[in-house]
Amino acid sequence: MLTTSQKHRDFVAEPMAEKPVTALAGIGDVLGKKLEELGFDKAYVVLGQFLVLKKDVELFTEWLKDICGANSRQAASCTQCLKEWCDAFL
Amino acid sequence: MSTLSTKSDHEISELLDDYGIKHGPIVGSTRTLYEKKLKEAMAKGSRQKMPSDKTYYREEQEEVTYVHYRSPPRSEGFGESSSVRRQFTPEYNREPDMDYANEPSFHRTAASYSQVSHSKPALHKLSRDASAKETVPQQSRFIPLWFQFLVFLVVAAFLYFVFTNMETPAANPFNKLE
């Protein structure tokens, strides 16, 4: 198992409520801004996309890379973060 | 097929199913992604059929290797199979040849070993066979490669052991104490 970042652990520890999209692991200021411009201003909107893609890790990773130019590592972090959140709370 | 963007959501969904792509609902935010995936799948479309043929080919290959183990005149069975799958004959020729080349050469070295008393060259041949075996590209095998290699080493070690313990013809086995 990959070691998770503090950001990942913080996100997965509790319901995301109104957390901004930059609270997601792998999503920093640059990517966060791009996502916000596209309308994904809150973490739950990105969650919505993840769910619409039927929680498919590959599809969501690909989508994230296409939509905001995330690299493989960032996209994988975000996907893993959302997946674990769903496993815990959904 | 050329303009995916003009197709309805339902049509996109059906196309994705045709290509075996797992997908969710086609909504505004997912549309672009699925169109992109369909474009990639269509580009690979001509190659899509090949793997299924290849699995059939692999089955045949297994069949033929089974025959290899049984009968030395494999050219007969080889000719029959090649007539069925004419397209893949070039590849087909290569792989069983390589597989087969390893087995009889080993048998031949065993035969030459029994005839010649100084069979150190045979050992060199064995090591060369081992290296030749490793250069064959990794494919799905009937018996795993590591196992073949292991069996080969065991038999080689056994033969070497027998060789080193062989007595020279000149030696008199009946050594009497004087």
Side-chain angles (χ1 to χ4, degrees):
Chain A
M1 267 310 215
L2 299 166
T3 51
T4 52
S5 64
Q6 189 58 46
K7 210 172 171 190
H8 174 104
R9 289 193 287 273
D10 287 343
F11 191 85
V12 175
E14 55 183 1
M16 62 176 82
E18 298 291 321
K19 281 185 187 170
V21 74
T22 46
L24 283 162
I27 307 296
D29 292 331
V30 175
L31 292 177
K33 200 154 183 214
K34 284 190 191 167
L35 284 169
E36 280 166 21
E37 280 168 12
L38 290 162
F40 296 90
D41 54 344
K42 297 282 183 189
Y44 65 72
V45 187
V46 181
L47 171 72
Q49 183 67 15
F50 183 61
L51 297 175
V52 150
L53 290 169
K54 298 179 92 164
K55 298 193 275 175
D56 186 297
V57 167
E58 275 179 40
L59 273 176
F60 181 76
T61 312
E62 203 177 327
W63 173 83
L64 194 60
K65 282 154 100 170
D66 289 343
I67 203 91
C68 66
N71 65 32
S72 299
R73 193 194 54 81
Q74 290 165 322
S77 289
C78 183
T79 312
Q80 189 61 27
C81 181
L82 279 171
K83 185 176 179 299
E84 280 185 34
W85 188 93
C86 286
D87 290 342
F89 297 102
L90 200 56
Chain B
M1 280 289 172
S2 48
T3 46
L4 286 170
S5 46
T6 56
K7 295 207 181 294
S8 73
D9 293 341
H10 184 70
E11 285 172 336
I12 297 280
S13 178
E14 283 187 348
L15 281 170
L16 286 164
D17 289 334
D18 283 344
Y19 285 99
I21 298 170
K22 268 175 60 183
H23 64 96
I26 318 293
V27 293
S29 54
T30 56
R31 176 99 187 190
T32 337
L33 176 70
Y34 291 137
E35 282 180 15
K36 181 188 144 208
K37 283 202 98 65
L38 275 175
K39 278 203 196 111
E40 287 171 10
M42 285 194 216
K44 285 188 207 167
S46 53
R47 268 182 270 161
Q48 200 81 28
K49 301 232 173 122
M50 300 280 276
S52 57
D53 280 356
K54 255 191 179 161
T55 48
Y56 178 69
Y57 162 65
R58 259 189 247 121
E59 283 173 21
E60 262 199 80
Q61 188 189 11
E62 283 180 23
E63 229 182 282
V64 177
T65 45
Y66 179 70
V67 173
H68 283 177
Y69 278 109
R70 287 286 176 87
S71 55
R74 63 148 176 85
S75 53
E76 292 172 0
F78 191 57
E80 281 170 32
S81 316
S82 64
S83 63
V84 177
R85 289 258 113 218
R86 248 177 281 150
Q87 299 165 312
F88 293 100
T89 325
E91 289 175 64
Y92 191 70
N93 275 324
R94 254 191 285 125
E95 285 142 20
D97 268 335
M98 278 181 162
D99 272 332
Y100 187 67
N102 285 324
E103 330 262 25
S105 64
F106 175 69
H107 291 307
R108 266 189 258 118
T109 37
S112 63
Y113 163 74
S114 60
Q115 288 167 15
V116 181
S117 56
H118 295 289
S119 45
K120 277 230 167 91
L123 284 168
H124 289 303
K125 228 178 177 178
L126 287 173
S127 60
R128 230 178 286 138
D129 280 339
S131 59
K133 228 181 194 126
E134 277 185 57
T135 54
V136 172
Q138 188 75 26
Q139 287 169 17
S140 62
R141 295 167 175 275
F142 193 59
I143 297 170
L145 175 65
W146 64 268
F147 185 74
Q148 285 181 349
F149 199 65
L150 184 70
V151 169
F152 175 79
L153 278 177
V154 166
V155 178
F158 171 74
L159 286 174
Y160 181 76
F161 176 77
V162 172
F163 162 69
T164 50
N165 287 322
M166 248 178 66
E167 289 175 5
T168 53
N172 187 0
F174 306 106
N175 287 321
K176 264 190 194 169
L177 286 170
E178 283 195 274

